[in-house]
Amino acid sequence: MDEKGSNALSLSEDEMDLRRGPWTVDEDLALINYIATHGEGRWNTLALSAGLKRTGKSCRLRWLNYLRPDVRRGNITLEEQLLILELHSRWGNRWSKIAQYLPGRTDNEIKNYWRTRVQKHAKQLKCDVNSKQFKDTMRYLWMPRLVERIQAASAASTTATIVANAPTATVAATATTNNAYTHGNNNFEVHNHNHKMGLSPSEYVGSQHVTTQSYTPENSNTAASSSDSFGTQVSTISDITDYYSVPVSGNKNNNCADYYQPSQISYSDCITSPSGLFPHQGLDFQAVEPNNPWNMQSGDSSDNFWNVENMLFLEQQLMNDNM
DNA sequence: AACACGTGCAACCGCCTTCGG
DNA sequence: ACCGAAGGCGGTTGCACGTGT
């Protein structure tokens, strides 16, 4: 029901004195308390019953995007960035669908991320975000570099863990409360070479070591069950890791031999989340690499790096296209 | 210190789909 | 089958905040 429809109660918004704009703490509490008692659904009725002078739609949005206990806040991680890029390349602006694969992230958040970060880079590169050049840049440069960064951070965290656990240091000691996850002896393995991109959201969810955050009922079971079987789970990110390669010297000509394959690791083995996939390690990519040039939240210095390399890549792209 | 500008994000808008009578 | 209510979704806007000058 749109805003007009929500006036069902046949009163105009003025007559109902409906509020707009930012929510107050009292409104938030009223909504939270009401839903805690009565559950979600029937948003217009809910708004009235809860004594909120808001449209049902507004209540729904506030709840889903902000108040829901499993909403994850904070920066989009490298893994999430990679996943967003990958899923967007497949589905376009299907934000809600993409959001299904990022537990705790809302479609609104992902949409905002895309518009503010990704489109910004496209703009800086003076190309359309939907252009072949930009897509290729993402595909052959940006995403592989994200993969590299993730791997690097993973390796760094593993090293840190080894040091922390010395002298008994078996790397497998990283498996704490989370799961049976191990790196072996730093010999990263690709658990799954099938480029299986048709995973269900639950499989995606299950492929991530999310253990410290709240869950929606529909994903909590999956997450819980998968956390014990990490190594055998289909590793979505590893699929992506496996899938993307980095062009050597920025030369792309669709010949696999010209691409360097990143060291093959299980993506799920290195995936993390801001809310603490490796809480015992306190790993935070942005903390580990504050100047990470591929960290799109890291400011102008990253933009410079990004621009130089991508401009070269784009030029190469254009040259190839003209041949 | 004051202003301008850019950025990020919460919230809104309007269209489309689904549901139920 | 039809119709209105409700929900869902993608696009857009407006504002708070940070940064640069």
Side-chain angles (χ1 to χ4, degrees), chain A residues 39-63:
Chain A
E40 301 177 29
R42 289 280 156 184
W43 292 103
N44 283 326
T45 310
L46 184 155
L48 282 174
S49 303
L52 291 162
K53 296 182 187 301
R54 297 274 183 172
T55 64
K57 228 174 173 177
S58 181
C59 293
R60 175 182 165 272
L61 215 58
R62 182 65 177 172
W63 175 253

mmCIF file of all heavy atoms in Angstrom, chain A residues 39-63:
data_model
loop_
_atom_site.group_PDB
_atom_site.id
_atom_site.type_symbol
_atom_site.label_atom_id
_atom_site.label_comp_id
_atom_site.label_asym_id
_atom_site.label_seq_id
_atom_site.Cartn_x
_atom_site.Cartn_y
_atom_site.Cartn_z
ATOM 1 N N GLY A 39 4.667 -9.076 17.636
ATOM 2 C CA GLY A 39 5.247 -9.549 16.390
ATOM 3 C C GLY A 39 5.036 -8.565 15.256
ATOM 4 O O GLY A 39 4.372 -7.540 15.401
ATOM 5 N N GLU A 40 5.621 -8.925 14.100
ATOM 6 C CA GLU A 40 5.514 -8.060 12.934
ATOM 7 C C GLU A 40 4.210 -8.330 12.188
ATOM 8 O O GLU A 40 3.447 -9.212 12.557
ATOM 9 C CB GLU A 40 6.683 -8.309 11.989
ATOM 10 C CG GLU A 40 8.046 -8.082 12.583
ATOM 11 C CD GLU A 40 9.135 -8.432 11.589
ATOM 12 O OE1 GLU A 40 8.901 -8.309 10.386
ATOM 13 O OE2 GLU A 40 10.226 -8.833 12.030
ATOM 14 N N GLY A 41 4.076 -7.566 11.102
ATOM 15 C CA GLY A 41 2.940 -7.812 10.228
ATOM 16 C C GLY A 41 1.844 -6.794 10.393
ATOM 17 O O GLY A 41 1.750 -6.130 11.427
ATOM 18 N N ARG A 42 1.025 -6.678 9.398
ATOM 19 C CA ARG A 42 -0.078 -5.723 9.414
ATOM 20 C C ARG A 42 0.407 -4.362 9.884
ATOM 21 O O ARG A 42 0.017 -3.882 10.954
ATOM 22 C CB ARG A 42 -1.190 -6.241 10.321
ATOM 23 C CG ARG A 42 -1.906 -7.430 9.736
ATOM 24 C CD ARG A 42 -2.923 -6.993 8.722
ATOM 25 N NE ARG A 42 -3.220 -8.048 7.758
ATOM 26 C CZ ARG A 42 -4.034 -7.876 6.729
ATOM 27 N NH1 ARG A 42 -4.641 -6.725 6.546
ATOM 28 N NH2 ARG A 42 -4.248 -8.832 5.882
ATOM 29 N N TRP A 43 1.237 -3.781 9.092
ATOM 30 C CA TRP A 43 1.967 -2.599 9.539
ATOM 31 C C TRP A 43 1.071 -1.404 9.814
ATOM 32 O O TRP A 43 1.326 -0.633 10.740
ATOM 33 C CB TRP A 43 3.043 -2.246 8.525
ATOM 34 C CG TRP A 43 4.133 -3.271 8.496
ATOM 35 C CD1 TRP A 43 4.324 -4.242 7.551
ATOM 36 C CD2 TRP A 43 5.153 -3.475 9.478
ATOM 37 N NE1 TRP A 43 5.413 -5.026 7.870
ATOM 38 C CE2 TRP A 43 5.938 -4.573 9.038
ATOM 39 C CE3 TRP A 43 5.498 -2.843 10.668
ATOM 40 C CZ2 TRP A 43 7.047 -5.044 9.766
ATOM 41 C CZ3 TRP A 43 6.598 -3.308 11.378
ATOM 42 C CH2 TRP A 43 7.354 -4.387 10.933
ATOM 43 N N ASN A 44 0.060 -1.239 9.012
ATOM 44 C CA ASN A 44 -0.837 -0.105 9.273
ATOM 45 C C ASN A 44 -1.548 -0.268 10.607
ATOM 46 O O ASN A 44 -1.642 0.669 11.405
ATOM 47 C CB ASN A 44 -1.854 0.032 8.137
ATOM 48 C CG ASN A 44 -1.227 0.675 6.913
ATOM 49 O OD1 ASN A 44 -0.361 1.538 7.041
ATOM 50 N ND2 ASN A 44 -1.640 0.242 5.739
ATOM 51 N N THR A 45 -2.018 -1.479 10.821
ATOM 52 C CA THR A 45 -2.673 -1.765 12.092
ATOM 53 C C THR A 45 -1.683 -1.614 13.240
ATOM 54 O O THR A 45 -2.011 -1.043 14.292
ATOM 55 C CB THR A 45 -3.227 -3.204 12.085
ATOM 56 O OG1 THR A 45 -3.985 -3.392 10.899
ATOM 57 C CG2 THR A 45 -4.092 -3.455 13.291
ATOM 58 N N LEU A 46 -0.510 -2.136 12.992
ATOM 59 C CA LEU A 46 0.542 -2.059 14.010
ATOM 60 C C LEU A 46 0.831 -0.608 14.389
ATOM 61 O O LEU A 46 0.936 -0.275 15.578
ATOM 62 C CB LEU A 46 1.802 -2.728 13.456
ATOM 63 C CG LEU A 46 3.040 -2.873 14.346
ATOM 64 C CD1 LEU A 46 3.870 -4.053 13.855
ATOM 65 C CD2 LEU A 46 3.897 -1.621 14.351
ATOM 66 N N ALA A 47 0.937 0.231 13.363
ATOM 67 C CA ALA A 47 1.253 1.638 13.629
ATOM 68 C C ALA A 47 0.188 2.268 14.519
ATOM 69 O O ALA A 47 0.505 3.002 15.464
ATOM 70 C CB ALA A 47 1.369 2.395 12.309
ATOM 71 N N LEU A 48 -1.054 1.935 14.202
ATOM 72 C CA LEU A 48 -2.152 2.491 15.005
ATOM 73 C C LEU A 48 -2.133 1.933 16.420
ATOM 74 O O LEU A 48 -2.190 2.670 17.407
ATOM 75 C CB LEU A 48 -3.492 2.167 14.334
ATOM 76 C CG LEU A 48 -3.885 3.018 13.133
ATOM 77 C CD1 LEU A 48 -5.145 2.468 12.500
ATOM 78 C CD2 LEU A 48 -4.062 4.473 13.551
ATOM 79 N N SER A 49 -2.009 0.619 16.485
ATOM 80 C CA SER A 49 -2.075 -0.036 17.794
ATOM 81 C C SER A 49 -0.933 0.380 18.705
ATOM 82 O O SER A 49 -1.088 0.462 19.918
ATOM 83 C CB SER A 49 -2.057 -1.549 17.621
ATOM 84 O OG SER A 49 -3.114 -1.961 16.796
ATOM 85 N N ALA A 50 0.208 0.615 18.082
ATOM 86 C CA ALA A 50 1.373 0.995 18.880
ATOM 87 C C ALA A 50 1.334 2.476 19.256
ATOM 88 O O ALA A 50 2.219 2.959 19.961
ATOM 89 C CB ALA A 50 2.656 0.681 18.111
ATOM 90 N N GLY A 51 0.333 3.145 18.749
ATOM 91 C CA GLY A 51 0.211 4.561 19.063
ATOM 92 C C GLY A 51 1.194 5.435 18.320
ATOM 93 O O GLY A 51 1.503 6.555 18.751
ATOM 94 N N LEU A 52 1.674 4.903 17.198
ATOM 95 C CA LEU A 52 2.651 5.656 16.414
ATOM 96 C C LEU A 52 1.939 6.489 15.363
ATOM 97 O O LEU A 52 1.101 5.973 14.628
ATOM 98 C CB LEU A 52 3.639 4.702 15.748
ATOM 99 C CG LEU A 52 4.597 3.985 16.693
ATOM 100 C CD1 LEU A 52 5.215 2.776 16.004
ATOM 101 C CD2 LEU A 52 5.692 4.943 17.162
ATOM 102 N N LYS A 53 2.268 7.715 15.288
ATOM 103 C CA LYS A 53 1.675 8.572 14.268
ATOM 104 C C LYS A 53 2.531 8.494 13.003
ATOM 105 O O LYS A 53 3.069 9.486 12.519
ATOM 106 C CB LYS A 53 1.577 10.002 14.780
ATOM 107 C CG LYS A 53 0.641 10.162 15.966
ATOM 108 C CD LYS A 53 0.553 11.606 16.398
ATOM 109 C CE LYS A 53 -0.237 11.765 17.675
ATOM 110 N NZ LYS A 53 -1.609 11.268 17.573
ATOM 111 N N ARG A 54 2.653 7.294 12.538
ATOM 112 C CA ARG A 54 3.434 7.025 11.336
ATOM 113 C C ARG A 54 2.629 6.127 10.429
ATOM 114 O O ARG A 54 1.720 5.411 10.870
ATOM 115 C CB ARG A 54 4.728 6.293 11.695
ATOM 116 C CG ARG A 54 5.685 7.055 12.567
ATOM 117 C CD ARG A 54 6.576 7.941 11.729
ATOM 118 N NE ARG A 54 7.563 8.646 12.535
ATOM 119 C CZ ARG A 54 8.547 9.364 12.011
ATOM 120 N NH1 ARG A 54 8.687 9.473 10.702
ATOM 121 N NH2 ARG A 54 9.387 10.008 12.789
ATOM 122 N N THR A 55 3.015 6.146 9.161
ATOM 123 C CA THR A 55 2.381 5.198 8.255
ATOM 124 C C THR A 55 2.927 3.809 8.549
ATOM 125 O O THR A 55 4.031 3.658 9.083
ATOM 126 C CB THR A 55 2.690 5.537 6.788
ATOM 127 O OG1 THR A 55 4.096 5.399 6.570
ATOM 128 C CG2 THR A 55 2.255 6.947 6.448
ATOM 129 N N GLY A 56 2.143 2.812 8.175
ATOM 130 C CA GLY A 56 2.614 1.453 8.349
ATOM 131 C C GLY A 56 3.903 1.222 7.585
ATOM 132 O O GLY A 56 4.809 0.524 8.038
ATOM 133 N N LYS A 57 3.951 1.840 6.455
ATOM 134 C CA LYS A 57 5.126 1.702 5.619
ATOM 135 C C LYS A 57 6.374 2.242 6.311
ATOM 136 O O LYS A 57 7.451 1.661 6.254
ATOM 137 C CB LYS A 57 4.892 2.490 4.322
ATOM 138 C CG LYS A 57 5.235 1.720 3.088
ATOM 139 C CD LYS A 57 4.826 2.520 1.870
ATOM 140 C CE LYS A 57 5.310 1.831 0.637
ATOM 141 N NZ LYS A 57 4.882 2.523 -0.576
ATOM 142 N N SER A 58 6.191 3.370 6.921
ATOM 143 C CA SER A 58 7.313 3.986 7.628
ATOM 144 C C SER A 58 7.779 3.098 8.775
ATOM 145 O O SER A 58 8.985 2.945 9.000
ATOM 146 C CB SER A 58 6.898 5.360 8.161
ATOM 147 O OG SER A 58 7.980 5.984 8.824
ATOM 148 N N CYS A 59 6.811 2.511 9.474
ATOM 149 C CA CYS A 59 7.151 1.603 10.575
ATOM 150 C C CYS A 59 7.916 0.391 10.055
ATOM 151 O O CYS A 59 8.921 -0.033 10.632
ATOM 152 C CB CYS A 59 5.891 1.142 11.300
ATOM 153 S SG CYS A 59 5.044 2.457 12.190
ATOM 154 N N ARG A 60 7.410 -0.152 8.991
ATOM 155 C CA ARG A 60 8.058 -1.329 8.417
ATOM 156 C C ARG A 60 9.501 -1.018 8.039
ATOM 157 O O ARG A 60 10.431 -1.774 8.337
ATOM 158 C CB ARG A 60 7.288 -1.781 7.181
ATOM 159 C CG ARG A 60 7.936 -2.906 6.436
ATOM 160 C CD ARG A 60 7.165 -3.297 5.185
ATOM 161 N NE ARG A 60 7.999 -4.121 4.320
ATOM 162 C CZ ARG A 60 8.805 -3.625 3.409
ATOM 163 N NH1 ARG A 60 8.886 -2.317 3.206
ATOM 164 N NH2 ARG A 60 9.543 -4.431 2.671
ATOM 165 N N LEU A 61 9.687 0.109 7.369
ATOM 166 C CA LEU A 61 11.011 0.507 6.920
ATOM 167 C C LEU A 61 11.950 0.730 8.100
ATOM 168 O O LEU A 61 13.102 0.299 8.091
ATOM 169 C CB LEU A 61 10.901 1.785 6.094
ATOM 170 C CG LEU A 61 11.858 1.915 4.925
ATOM 171 C CD1 LEU A 61 11.680 0.756 3.966
ATOM 172 C CD2 LEU A 61 11.627 3.234 4.215
ATOM 173 N N ARG A 62 11.433 1.413 9.114
ATOM 174 C CA ARG A 62 12.261 1.687 10.286
ATOM 175 C C ARG A 62 12.687 0.382 10.946
ATOM 176 O O ARG A 62 13.825 0.234 11.376
ATOM 177 C CB ARG A 62 11.481 2.561 11.270
ATOM 178 C CG ARG A 62 12.250 2.948 12.512
ATOM 179 C CD ARG A 62 13.444 3.829 12.207
ATOM 180 N NE ARG A 62 14.146 4.257 13.408
ATOM 181 C CZ ARG A 62 15.301 4.904 13.420
ATOM 182 N NH1 ARG A 62 15.888 5.216 12.273
ATOM 183 N NH2 ARG A 62 15.880 5.259 14.544
ATOM 184 N N TRP A 63 11.757 -0.522 11.032
ATOM 185 C CA TRP A 63 12.054 -1.799 11.666
ATOM 186 C C TRP A 63 13.057 -2.604 10.848
ATOM 187 O O TRP A 63 14.066 -3.073 11.357
ATOM 188 C CB TRP A 63 10.764 -2.602 11.863
ATOM 189 C CG TRP A 63 10.996 -3.975 12.389
ATOM 190 C CD1 TRP A 63 10.892 -5.144 11.697
ATOM 191 C CD2 TRP A 63 11.374 -4.341 13.721
ATOM 192 N NE1 TRP A 63 11.176 -6.220 12.499
ATOM 193 C CE2 TRP A 63 11.483 -5.748 13.762
ATOM 194 C CE3 TRP A 63 11.639 -3.615 14.885
ATOM 195 C CZ2 TRP A 63 11.841 -6.446 14.910
ATOM 196 C CZ3 TRP A 63 12.002 -4.317 16.034
ATOM 197 C CH2 TRP A 63 12.096 -5.712 16.037
#
